[in-house]
Amino acid sequence: MSTSVTSKVGDSRKILTELPGPKSRALHERRKAVVSSGLTQGFPVYIERGDGAILLDVDGNQLLDLGSGIAVTSIGHAVSDLIDAVSEQVAAFTHTCFMVTPYEAYIEVCEALAELTPGTHEKTSALFNSGSEAVENAVKIARLATGRAAIVVLDHAYHGRTNLTLALTAKNMPYKDRFGPFAPEIYRVPTSYPFRDGLSGPEAARRAIDEIESQVGAHNVAAVLVEPIQGEGGFIVPALGFLPALAEWSKANGALFIADEIQSGFCRTGDWFAVDHEGVIPDLVTTAKGLAGGMPLAAVTGRAEIMNAVHEGGLGGTYGGNPVAAVAALATIKTMRDKNLAARARELGSTMLSALTELQRDTLIIGDVRGRGAMVAIELIEPGTTNPNAAAANAIVNYCRSQGVVAISAGTYGNVVRLLPPLVITDAQLSDGLSVLADAVRSVK
Ligand SMILES: *Cc1c(COP(=O)(O)O)cnc(C)c1O
C-alpha cells in the first residue's frame, strides 16, 4: 500500500518567521481558554507535519528535532512502514480489548520483547498504554511474586506521574509538589552520579546497599527499581559496576531487579537496552517511549515464572496493547533492525560527545559531558564551581529554540541540556544542530 501522505517537509532547518510565528501564537492564545495551565508550555510552535528529524510548523518553519518528543520518535517522523501498518490496521479494526477477544499483533509484540530484552530465559509480557502504567504494573507484579512490600528506588529517579509512580519519582517541583499523599513502602537510596560523588561503581553500590540493609532490611525488599541511565534526573550515567552490583545483590537477597528502560531502551543508547552495555539481566524490564514510534504503547517483560505468578485477570486494562499501537511497535522494531539503528546511535553518540567535549574546553559553564549512544547531555555549572547553573541551561535551550532547534532540558537541578535526536538524523542535520548548540553555549554570559 502506498501512503497518501506525501511529505512536504524539507530536509533541513529553515526559518521563515520569528519563532513562534503568528499562526502558532494565535493557537497558543486559543489554547489558554481550554487547556489546563498545569501542562508545561514547552516551545509553543504548533506542529503540522514531520519527516525524519524535521518538524514543519503551522507557519511553514522547518525545525530540527533534537528531542524526539522525549526519546519516542527514535525511528524519525513519518516512516512509511509505520504509516502503512497503522493505516491498514485502522481500516481493519481499531479495538476489541485483548481481554475480550484477542488478536495476533499483541502476541507478535510479546514475541519481539521476549527476543530483544536481555537474557535467554523464558519471558512473558503484558502490554499497557504509558510508561507510568507499565512501572505501576511492574511494582504490582514484583510484590505479588515475592510476597514482599518494599520497593527501593534511587535519588534523581523518574518513573512517572501517576500516584504510585510519583512516589517512585524523586523530584518535587514540578512533579510531586502538593499532589500527595503518596504510596507507602517506597525507599530511596543514593545513586551513582560520577560527576557529583566521584565514587566508583562498586563504591556507589556499596553505599546504596548499606542503606537498604540498615534502613529497609534485605528480606523486606520486593524489588530494586532503576533507570540504567537516568533520564529526567539529568542523563546520569552510573559508574561502571554499579548496576551489576545492585543486580547481584538483588539476586542474592531474593529481591527482583527491575530495569526501567522506558527512556533508555530500544536502541537509544547504542544497544537494544542500556543494561546490555554491562551484560546485566534484569528480572523485569519496563519499556514504552521508543517502542512504538509515537503510538502509545508500554510493556512489562520478565521471567515467565514471575510474570505468570499473577492470577488470571490480575493484569490488564481497556486499551493496553491496542492493535494500532501494536502494529506500530512491530513496524518500529523492524525499522530499527533494517536500518541497524543501534549502530547508528553509537555513531551519533561519538559525534555528539566529541563535539561537546571540544565545546567544554572553550567555556567555563559546562561541568560535565556525558551519555551513551544518542542519549547525551551537558551539565551546566557556575564557573569555577560545581554549583548547578539552571539559568544557563534555560538560556541555551531558549537560544536553540529561537533558531528553530528543538532542545530540551532535564535534571534535578534543571541544569542539564539533553540531546535525544531521532536515530535517523543525517550527519548534516546533526552537525547543524551541534553548531547552533555551540553558539547557544557561547552566547551565555
Ligand atoms: C517517561 C518515563 C516514564 C513515564 O512514562 P509515561 O509514558 O510518561 O507515563 C517512566 N520511566 C522513565 C524512565 C521515563 O523516562
Side-chain angles (χ1 to χ4, degrees):
M1 185 184 118
S2 73
T3 156
S4 57
V5 185
T6 40
S7 181
K8 283 177 259 153
V9 183
D11 63 6
S12 62
R13 187 168 56 96
K14 195 160 93 190
I15 305 309
L16 308 177
T17 69
E18 65 178 307
L19 292 175
K23 289 184 178 161
S24 278
R25 288 203 304 272
L27 283 169
H28 206 59
E29 277 311 305
R30 235 174 92 192
R31 158 185 175 148
K32 285 178 184 158
V34 289
V35 178
S36 166
S37 57
L39 287 111
T40 302
Q41 311 269 319
F43 180 23
V45 285
Y46 285 73
I47 303 303
E48 196 165 273
R49 201 175 268 276
D51 189 7
I54 302 292
L55 291 167
L56 179 70
D57 78 5
V58 290
D59 291 289
N61 297 300
Q62 292 169 198
L63 312 162
L64 178 63
D65 183 4
L66 296 184
S68 305
I70 317 187
V72 171
T73 51
S74 295
I75 60 170
H77 299 282
V79 176
S80 59
D81 281 354
L82 186 140
I83 297 169
D84 292 348
V86 165
S87 306
E88 282 172 21
Q89 185 58 50
V90 168
F93 63 97
T94 54
H95 177 81
T96 60
C97 184
F98 188 72
M99 299 172 302
V100 177
T101 47
Y103 40 87
E104 183 176 3
Y106 192 113
I107 302 173
E108 290 181 272
V109 171
C110 297
E111 286 169 346
L113 287 165
E115 185 196 332
L116 297 173
T117 53
T120 54
H121 51 279
E122 267 182 62
K123 295 169 210 156
T124 64
S125 294
L127 305 183
F128 302 99
N129 303 298
S130 69
S132 304
E133 202 187 345
V135 173
E136 288 233 18
N137 277 279
V139 168
K140 281 162 55 178
I141 294 163
R143 285 177 169 159
L144 182 151
T146 60
R148 301 173 177 185
I151 304 295
V152 173
V153 290
L154 300 174
D155 283 339
H156 307 289
Y158 183 87
H159 296 293
R161 290 177 182 264
T162 57
N163 185 270
L164 174 61
T165 57
L166 278 180
L168 304 167
T169 288
K171 189 175 176 177
N172 181 52
M173 275 304 270
Y175 305 128
K176 302 173 76 162
D177 198 61
R178 293 165 291 157
F179 288 131
F182 300 113
E185 288 302 310
I186 310 291
Y187 299 90
R188 193 172 308 287
V189 299
T191 189
S192 165
Y193 194 160
F195 175 63
R196 296 201 170 270
D197 65 27
L199 299 178
S200 72
E203 286 166 349
R206 191 69 250 162
R207 179 175 67 174
I209 289 165
D210 282 347
E211 282 202 14
I212 301 171
E213 290 180 340
S214 61
Q215 298 179 24
V216 190
H219 61 282
N220 294 316
V221 178
V224 176
L225 167 65
V226 307
E227 295 160 88
I229 294 179
Q230 292 185 312
E232 304 306 300
F235 281 30
I236 304 167
V237 186
L240 287 180
F242 178 73
L243 296 174
L246 282 186
E248 274 163 38
W249 180 89
S250 302
K251 191 172 180 189
N253 289 281
L256 304 186
F257 185 76
I258 307 176
D260 180 350
E261 291 264 11
I262 288 168
Q263 192 156 160
S264 57
F266 280 97
C267 299
R268 176 54 54 189
T269 66
D271 285 296
W272 280 103
F273 295 96
V275 286
D276 290 334
H277 189 70
E278 292 186 82
V280 170
I281 298 179
D283 300 298
L284 300 177
V285 180
T286 55
T287 53
K289 293 200 166 99
L291 164 63
M295 297 300 286
L297 188 71
V300 183
T301 302
R303 294 186 185 281
E305 66 273 20
I306 296 167
M307 295 295 296
N308 297 347
V310 180
H311 49 278
E312 183 177 340
L315 301 176
T318 306
Y319 294 115
N322 170 274
V324 182
V327 300
L330 298 173
T332 299
I333 292 166
K334 181 174 183 303
T335 302
M336 288 177 171
R337 286 189 207 270
D338 290 352
K339 296 188 175 162
N340 197 355
L341 292 184
R344 181 61 181 155
R346 293 193 288 274
E347 283 173 12
L348 295 171
S350 65
T351 303
M352 289 191 283
L353 287 175
S354 61
L356 296 173
T357 306
E358 205 177 296
L359 183 61
Q360 185 181 23
R361 283 190 217 112
D362 289 0
T363 161
L364 299 172
I365 57 169
I366 298 179
D368 196 22
V369 175
R370 59 177 177 253
R372 195 186 309 138
M375 185 171 183
V376 164
I378 52 178
E379 176 161 354
L380 289 310
I381 49 155
E382 288 166 1
T385 73
T386 57
N387 299 342
N389 191 343
N394 280 331
I396 290 165
V397 165
N398 288 335
Y399 181 98
C400 288
R401 289 173 175 176
S402 75
Q403 303 302 304
V405 173
V406 182
I408 38 187
S409 61
T412 298
Y413 315 110
N415 67 324
V416 172
V417 177
R418 56 173 150 172
L419 302 180
L420 291 161
L423 305 179
V424 296
I425 192 171
T426 65
D427 291 341
Q429 289 166 341
L430 181 62
S431 105
D432 175 46
L434 288 170
S435 83
V436 171
L437 180 66
D439 292 343
V441 170
R442 294 196 187 98
S443 78
V444 176
K445 294 291 169 296

